[in-house]
Each structure stands twice: as structure tokens, then as C-alpha cells.
Amino acid sequence: DAKTTQPNSMESNEEEPVHLPCNHSTISGTDYIHWYRQLPSQGPEYVIHGLTSNVNNRMASLAIAEDRKSSTLILHRATLRDAAVYYCIPAGGTSYGKLTFGQGTILTVHP
Amino acid sequence: SAVISQKPSRDICQRGTSLTIQCQVDSQVTMMFWYRQQPGQSLTLIATANQGSEATYESGFVIDKFPISRPNLTFSTLTVSNMSPEDSSIYLCSVDRTNTEAFFGQGTRLTVV
């Protein structure tokens, strides 16, 4: 499994953009980059994933470096509900359910 | 999406006893996964449960301690056997029905005293 490095914590103000970085320099060529988040007292929830191109969905954007060794999750306008632990997880193969979670980034959003 | 129900949501158990956690999914899935989240830590995969075959355990987890059943395509159980305080954790089940993302239950918070 590819090793990931994320900041332990980050802070943001409400309605400001947040850029959450992740290094995954040992990612395999076929692994997608997945992002999950875990809100307090809940199970993780899927945020976004991508392979090479930048991706957008209703929750966030994912910017992937050209060499795929790093990626950045972008929350365009942080809300208090976005306060969570964010996990960057390279995954692929036959199952996207078999996930290796790192320590993640604790995001604090200030009102 | 997938709706996953776990029971119980929390429990306090005496050391030396066993607890069986149930996971029910609202649709049929091939694989179900069981994770453990120790206090203040990230999630660790315990095992993968396929219907009709024995579960596949990750390094550091054994069937005698965490027996798993998978009687059909919508249900699985995880038993935490002969519990000690070190087993106090949140246990979560998940599925990957869409083959692009995983869905998690709310978890079972276990405290062993």
C-alpha cells in the first residue's frame, strides 16, 4: 500500500477556501486517489476521487499533480459542518472498499 | 448510495465476555469489510467478509479473536471474543457497492471494563 503524508491539523474560517494537501509519492500507476472524511461520532464518508485529471463534485475539488505524487483537496467555501478528519487514500484494484487509512488531517473551521 | 445499519450502536461489556456486532445493508453486496478504530486513532481493516466463504483477515487479526459470519449478501456479524480493555474501540462495517466508493456504518462503540 502507498504511504501517505498529511498535515496533522489545519484551520480555516467559515466561508473561506481550504486546501488540504497530501503526499503519496509511492502510489502505483493504477491506484486512484480517494478522499474520505470523518465527521465527529460518525463513520467515514466519501468525498471525491481521481486518477490523473482534476475532478470536481458538489462537495469539493481534487487537484492532482502531474506526476501523481501529491494531491490537494479543495473545499471552496468551508462551513462549520466541514469540520472533520480528512483522509487521503490511494486505492484501486478489485475493491475500493479495502482501504488503508493514514492519520489524516483534522480540519477546524472557525465561525 | 447504501444504507448500513449497525447494532448495537454502543455497549459496555465485562472483560472475558464476547460481543457480536451486526451489520445490515439495504441492498446486496459482494464484499463487506470490518474496521476497528481505537481511541484517538485512525481506522484499521480487520477483515473482508465474502458470502459463502471464510473471511480474509489482515495481519494482526485472527479468526479466534474476531470470528465473522456472512450468511447472505446483505448481512454480516463480527464477534469480539474474550474481551479485554484493549478491545475498547469503535468497530465499523463498510461496503463498496458502487465499486468506486465505500459506504460506512455509524459504528459500534465498545467499552470493556
Side-chain angles (χ1 to χ4, degrees), chain A residues 24-70:
Chain A
H24 32 76
S25 58
T26 60
I27 189 171
S28 78
T30 57
D31 276 352
Y32 283 74
I33 300 154
H34 292 246
W35 284 79
Y36 283 79
R37 72 180 185 181
Q38 187 173 23
L39 302 172
S41 300
Q42 294 190 27
E45 65 176 357
Y46 167 85
V47 178
I48 199 168
H49 78 287
L51 184 63
T52 57
S53 303
N54 295 344
V55 185
N56 301 294
N57 67 18
R58 63 176 179 81
M59 289 181 68
S61 296
L62 176 59
I64 302 171
E66 194 170 337
D67 63 5
R68 291 190 5 104
K69 292 184 177 181
S70 65

Side-chain angles (χ1 to χ4, degrees), chain B:
Chain B
S1 65
V3 177
I4 301 172
S5 302
Q6 274 188 243
K7 291 181 181 180
S9 58
R10 59 177 61 227
D11 207 342
I12 300 173
C13 300
Q14 296 292 323
R15 65 179 68 198
T17 63
S18 298
L19 176 71
T20 295
I21 302 167
Q22 300 179 1
C23 181
Q24 178 76 52
V25 189
D26 66 342
S27 58
Q28 294 183 344
V29 293
T30 302
M31 286 187 281
M32 297 178 73
F33 305 88
W34 287 98
Y35 289 82
R36 179 177 73 181
Q37 187 169 28
Q38 295 177 299
Q41 301 297 313
S42 182
L43 283 76
T44 301
L45 181 64
I46 298 172
T48 302
N50 289 325
Q51 194 266 336
S53 64
E54 278 200 8
T56 303
Y57 289 83
E58 298 299 307
S59 176
F61 297 95
V62 295
I63 188 171
D64 290 346
K65 177 66 176 178
F66 299 101
I68 288 171
S69 77
R70 183 78 201 275
N72 58 52
L73 292 173
T74 63
F75 187 78
S76 178
T77 67
L78 169 77
T79 298
V80 186
S81 302
N82 188 25
M83 289 183 286
S84 68
E86 291 71 35
D87 294 319
S88 297
S89 297
I90 299 172
Y91 293 86
L92 301 105
C93 70
S94 78
V95 303
D96 68 343
R97 194 184 68 181
T98 66
N99 204 33
T100 56
E101 62 185 270
F103 300 92
F104 287 81
Q106 296 283 15
T108 296
R109 183 180 295 271
L110 171 62
T111 302
V112 183
V113 297

Side-chain angles (χ1 to χ4, degrees), chain A residues 65-111:
Chain A
E66 194 170 337
D67 63 5
R68 291 190 5 104
K69 292 184 177 181
S70 65
S71 62
T72 301
L73 179 70
I74 303 165
L75 306 179
H76 295 286
R77 292 183 63 192
T79 69
L80 296 178
R81 193 193 174 276
D82 292 322
V85 181
Y86 286 78
Y87 298 100
C88 157
I89 306 173
T94 58
S95 172
Y96 294 94
K98 191 175 178 180
L99 301 173
T100 301
F101 286 80
Q103 288 306 306
T105 296
I106 301 170
L107 175 65
T108 301
V109 180
H110 299 289

